[in-house]
Amino acid sequence: MESITKIIFVDEQHEKFFGEGPNRLLRRVEETGSLRAAALSMGMAYTKALKIVNNAEKALGFALILRSAGGKSGGGSSLTPQGKAWLDQYEAYRDACIAANQKLYRQFFPSARNQGCVIMASGLGKRFGGNKLMADFAGKPLIQWALDATEGLFSKRVVVTRHHEVETLCLRQGIEVVYHTLPLRSDTVRLGVEAIGQQVEGCVFLPGDQPLLRRETVEKICQQADLEKTVIWRAAYGERYGLPVFFPRWAFEELSTLPEGKGGGAVIQKHPEQLRLVWVKEEWELQDVDTPEELRRLLTQFNRLS
């Protein structure tokens, strides 16, 4: 079980004019220098994006973006100073609301599991030939299997990604996202730890490209961590170790300062005496997807197991 905070602003007629969607659209304008490009990156029609901006400007009473006409430079859009200040103010307010909700959640539901979850979805998919996380797997995007396997099990869950399509998919489901453009695996882990915070007893890390991972396995790791909160719990099959991994809170500082390019395995190697194993039913649960061939092979196994 988890509690999700959504911030929506309405005008005098109680019509919605601002929330996370418009905020992401305007941040994309800031990144791309174009409203049209921002809309395209979100899979949104330009006319819809323009309507969103116009409605927000009308309700707020000031311009959010400055549009320049086409020509040799091609024209474009940029945030106005008031627009930039509004986005900063909105995001600070949103984050404060999320933090307050988490505090109240722990106050009113003290028996709820106090564990975090980081879904790592930052792979560039070079061997796959594109964004593998949005590839179809048995009728759903590949990453959706990780989202479904972790739904409702944690007090706080976050997806860390370099992909706008993944960000959009998660936000539509009310799942917190950290979008970044940093290059290293250690960056993904650090950003995940920072987003989860220090209020949880520990955090489960798992990849977004492991579609045969059972929800029962994730829950078993959580249950074991509830019983013994100060050790590292890792999924395993035979002599093969894999993900998910639960790290207790004492490991957060080391996870936040990993050597460049290293993952949580560096912390496990440093503290082997703290490692405990949770055995999975099928070796395929630990298999991730790096190539189209691996995706097809796992789909064959999925059909066999279904």
Side-chain angles (χ1 to χ4, degrees):
M1 180 173 72
E2 60 184 312
S3 177
I4 296 172
T5 305
K6 290 186 178 182
I7 305 301
I8 297 174
F9 285 85
V10 298
D11 59 22
E12 294 179 354
Q13 287 72 44
H14 293 278
E15 295 290 333
K16 175 183 174 181
F17 73 87
F18 204 85
E20 197 58 31
N23 179 66
R24 288 187 290 112
L25 174 64
L26 290 167
R27 285 301 187 192
R28 300 283 169 76
V29 170
E30 186 178 33
E31 293 173 8
T32 64
S34 165
L35 179 59
R36 190 177 299 276
L40 181 63
S41 73
M42 296 175 64
M44 181 187 301
Y46 172 73
T47 52
K48 181 178 179 180
L50 185 60
K51 183 178 179 180
I52 288 172
V53 173
N54 288 340
N55 286 345
E57 290 179 335
K58 181 179 178 181
L60 291 168
F62 56 81
L64 292 168
I65 63 174
L66 179 65
R67 305 170 184 83
S68 59
K72 291 184 178 180
S73 62
S77 301
S78 60
L79 296 181
T80 65
Q82 280 183 298
K84 178 67 165 59
W86 164 256
L87 294 192
D88 292 343
Q89 186 178 24
Y90 163 80
E91 290 171 354
Y93 173 69
R94 175 202 62 195
D95 293 346
C97 288
I98 291 173
N101 179 45
Q102 291 170 358
K103 182 178 179 180
L104 290 169
Y105 178 72
R106 292 190 295 271
Q107 176 184 335
F108 283 92
F109 301 95
S111 61
R113 177 175 288 131
N114 188 23
Q115 297 171 358
C117 174
V118 172
I119 298 176
M120 298 174 290
S122 296
L124 295 175
K126 291 181 179 179
R127 293 175 59 194
F128 192 85
N131 181 6
K132 61 182 177 180
L133 295 165
M134 295 300 294
D136 180 81
F137 188 90
K140 295 190 291 188
L142 183 62
I143 190 175
Q144 187 65 49
W145 293 88
L147 302 180
D148 292 345
T150 56
E151 176 67 30
L153 298 180
F154 300 93
S155 58
K156 184 175 175 63
R157 182 173 56 152
V158 63
V159 175
V160 183
T161 187
R162 295 188 185 98
H163 303 286
H164 287 311
E165 300 91 342
V166 172
E167 180 189 27
T168 299
L169 175 71
C170 294
L171 290 174
R172 285 174 179 168
Q173 299 175 57
I175 301 169
E176 183 176 345
V177 178
V178 175
Y179 174 78
H180 71 104
T181 57
L182 300 174
L184 303 175
R185 186 194 318 176
S186 52
D187 295 321
T188 300
V189 176
R190 174 179 54 79
L191 292 171
V193 170
E194 290 174 356
I196 290 297
Q198 296 292 324
Q199 300 303 314
V200 296
E201 295 169 343
C203 182
V204 171
F205 287 78
L206 71 154
D209 61 349
Q210 205 166 299
L212 297 191
L213 176 66
R214 298 173 187 262
R215 180 180 177 86
E216 292 83 356
T217 297
V218 180
E219 191 159 20
K220 186 176 180 181
I221 290 173
C222 293
Q223 291 169 348
Q224 293 298 107
D226 276 337
L227 296 174
E228 197 170 358
K229 298 179 172 63
T230 60
V231 298
I232 301 168
W233 290 95
R234 186 172 195 179
Y237 182 90
E239 297 183 354
R240 179 182 180 183
Y241 297 172
L243 297 172
V245 177
F246 171 88
F247 287 99
R249 185 166 51 203
W250 61 258
F252 285 9
E253 182 175 356
E254 293 183 30
L255 291 170
S256 297
T257 56
L258 288 169
E260 286 191 2
K262 295 293 184 179
V267 177
I268 296 175
Q269 291 176 1
K270 187 177 179 181
H271 303 280
E273 75 286 353
Q274 296 291 336
L275 180 63
R276 306 289 187 273
L277 300 178
V278 174
W279 304 102
V280 302
K281 293 182 178 181
E282 295 271 354
E283 184 177 9
W284 298 102
E285 285 195 63
L286 305 183
Q287 179 66 54
D288 59 4
V289 174
D290 287 325
T291 66
E293 291 74 21
E294 289 175 348
L295 184 73
R296 288 191 289 269
R297 187 161 60 247
L298 286 181
L299 185 57
T300 298
Q301 290 300 319
F302 172 84
N303 292 330
R304 179 181 66 84
L305 295 169
S306 298

